Amino acid sequence: ESTLHLVLRLRGGGKKRKKKVYTKPKKTSHIHKSVKLAVLKYYQVDEDGKVQRLRRDCPNCGRGVRMAAHHDRLYCGNCGLTYRLNSAEEEKA
C-alpha cells in the first residue's frame, strides 16, 4: 500500500480588478404611455350612422394599416413610408 500526494499550482490568478467609477448618471429609458380609448381618434360616426376613417391607409402595406398623423408628416410605422405635409412649410415662410 502506498499513498499518492497530488500538488496543483494555481496559474494566472491575477489581481482583483478595481471597481469602475462612472462619471455620468444612467439614461432613463422611454416608458410607453397607454392612452385609454385611443381608437376614438381613428374613426368618426356621422349622423347617418356611417363610420368615417380619420387616418389614411398606407399604400404599401394595404388596407388596415393606418398612417400616423404628425404635425408635419404622415408616417407608416409598419414600412416606414413618410409623406411630408406642405402646410408646415407655408407657416414658416
Side-chain angles (χ1 to χ4, degrees):
E1 288 180 46
S2 64
T3 313
L4 187 68
H5 291 283
L6 193 66
V7 179
L8 293 174
R9 295 231 160 120
L10 292 173
R11 292 188 179 267
K15 287 188 175 179
K16 202 172 185 182
R17 279 202 178 184
K18 199 172 185 182
K19 198 165 189 181
K20 246 185 188 179
V21 179
Y22 295 102
T23 54
K24 296 178 190 173
K26 275 190 177 179
K27 276 188 180 179
T28 54
S29 59
H30 172 75
I31 300 166
H32 180 261
K33 295 176 187 173
S34 61
V35 182
K36 290 187 177 180
L37 299 173
V39 178
L40 298 177
K41 293 179 183 176
Y42 306 138
Y43 302 99
Q44 191 175 35
V45 182
D46 295 338
E47 302 90 40
D48 317 343
K50 279 197 168 188
V51 177
Q52 184 183 14
R53 288 188 218 112
L54 300 176
R55 299 285 189 264
R56 185 175 168 176
D57 284 327
C58 178
N60 289 354
C61 302
R63 296 185 67 187
V65 179
R66 307 274 185 263
M67 297 183 83
H70 295 272
H71 68 281
D72 61 340
R73 65 195 183 279
L74 294 173
Y75 177 74
C76 176
N78 196 20
C79 67
L81 180 72
T82 307
Y83 287 130
R84 294 253 173 220
L85 302 174
N86 40 359
S87 60
E89 294 172 357
E90 292 169 7
E91 290 174 357
K92 289 178 185 175

